[in-house]
Amino acid sequence: AQSVTQPDIHITVSEGASLELRCNYSYGATPYLFWYVQSPGQGLQLLLKYFSGDTLVQGIKGFEAEFKRSQSSFNLRKPSVHWSDAAEYFCAVGAGQAGTALIFGKGTTLSVSS
Amino acid sequence: KAGVTQTPRYLIKTRGQQVTLSCSPISGHRSVSWYQQTPGQGLQFLFEYFSETQRNKGNFPGRFSGRQFSNSRSEMNVSTLELGDSALYLCASSPEGTGAGELFFGEGSRLTVL
């Protein structure tokens, strides 16, 4: 069965420091992978997605993620965190077929300290 | 272009009642998906509608139902409410459907069951 694991429930990073949020997935074939962000009281916004090709993908707000098939991972990174990045981050996997649901991880809450 | 609109944003019901939530997708999007978000279970897929047909359904009891209209607007209904139905219900739209592309989320309808 498909699953997504985000090992870190809560992470605190100093403003200006680098960030890496971990995501591991379980899926039989090459999955479609997504990172979404949710600010308090808001819906989810797509940061980036991986379908195929270059394993390093760039997203909005300066985020990037790297797909590593051998590790079944799709970690999210940002070189320098801003206070406005404080939010909850969700990794998700899809089968790549229309009509199939996204499977989300439980999320990682990011706090940014000054 | 207007985003995904969900109404109502907040509502309080008592056990045994029923509730109907509404979602207006982005213009031109034919797929509408519903997700339930709770602190314990995270984001769980409820169902997806595409061109007025339910294309996929998650593992929820029959008390949860939905429909889509010819203008792509969607409603979901929960009958015989239970305390455990308290959650944020998120609607998402996309041109093609889940799994294959980006989902655009609304801000959600927060249901409290007393």
Side-chain angles (χ1 to χ4, degrees):
Chain A
Q2 299 173 54
S3 66
V4 177
T5 302
Q6 293 180 248
D8 305 304
I9 296 173
H10 190 193
I11 284 181
T12 299
V13 175
S14 298
E15 190 168 15
S18 64
L19 169 71
E20 183 169 27
L21 301 181
R22 296 183 291 165
C23 172
N24 293 98
Y25 67 90
S26 173
Y27 187 70
T30 299
Y32 284 35
L33 294 161
F34 306 83
W35 274 100
Y36 283 85
V37 61
Q38 184 178 34
S39 298
Q42 303 293 312
L44 281 72
Q45 180 185 23
L46 180 70
L47 287 175
L48 48 78
K49 59 189 177 185
Y50 172 77
F51 287 173
S52 63
D54 192 349
T55 56
L56 184 63
V57 294
Q58 303 297 321
I60 63 171
K61 303 184 181 184
F63 286 92
E64 66 177 28
E66 186 172 12
F67 170 61
K68 293 186 177 180
R69 184 191 304 274
S70 61
Q71 299 177 18
S72 297
S73 69
F74 188 57
N75 294 349
L76 182 71
R77 300 194 295 249
K78 186 170 185 178
S80 177
V81 168
H82 187 261
W83 64 266
S84 61
D85 293 324
E88 191 160 18
Y89 292 79
F90 294 91
C91 181
V93 61
Q97 299 162 8
T100 58
L102 290 187
I103 306 299
F104 285 87
K106 290 292 181 70
T108 298
T109 299
L110 172 66
S111 297
V112 180
S113 61
S114 55
Chain B
K1 205 174 193 180
V4 177
T5 304
Q6 292 188 245
T7 57
R9 289 293 313 279
Y10 303 91
L11 65 166
I12 300 173
K13 294 286 187 178
T14 57
R15 279 183 301 174
Q17 287 187 311
Q18 74 166 16
V19 66
T20 299
L21 308 178
S22 180
C23 173
S24 293
I26 292 172
S27 178
H29 286 191
R30 296 191 295 166
S31 168
V32 173
S33 302
W34 290 87
Y35 287 80
Q36 181 195 64
Q37 185 177 24
T38 60
Q41 299 300 316
L43 282 153
Q44 293 185 288
F45 173 74
L46 280 158
F47 28 64
E48 183 209 0
Y49 288 87
F50 184 84
S51 294
E52 301 179 66
T53 301
Q54 187 180 86
R55 191 158 65 173
N56 196 9
K57 189 177 190 302
N59 188 26
F60 277 82
R63 300 185 297 108
F64 291 81
S65 63
R67 59 177 175 170
Q68 187 180 33
F69 303 95
S70 58
N71 62 357
S72 292
R73 191 177 69 85
S74 177
E75 290 181 346
M76 68 162 283
N77 183 277
V78 188
S79 63
T80 319
L81 284 166
E82 301 176 359
L83 296 178
D85 297 332
S86 294
L88 180 67
Y89 290 88
L90 291 166
C91 168
S93 76
S94 71
E96 299 290 334
T98 60
E102 176 180 358
L103 294 182
F104 295 82
F105 283 85
E107 294 184 324
S109 293
R110 184 165 294 282
L111 170 65
T112 301
V113 182
L114 302 176

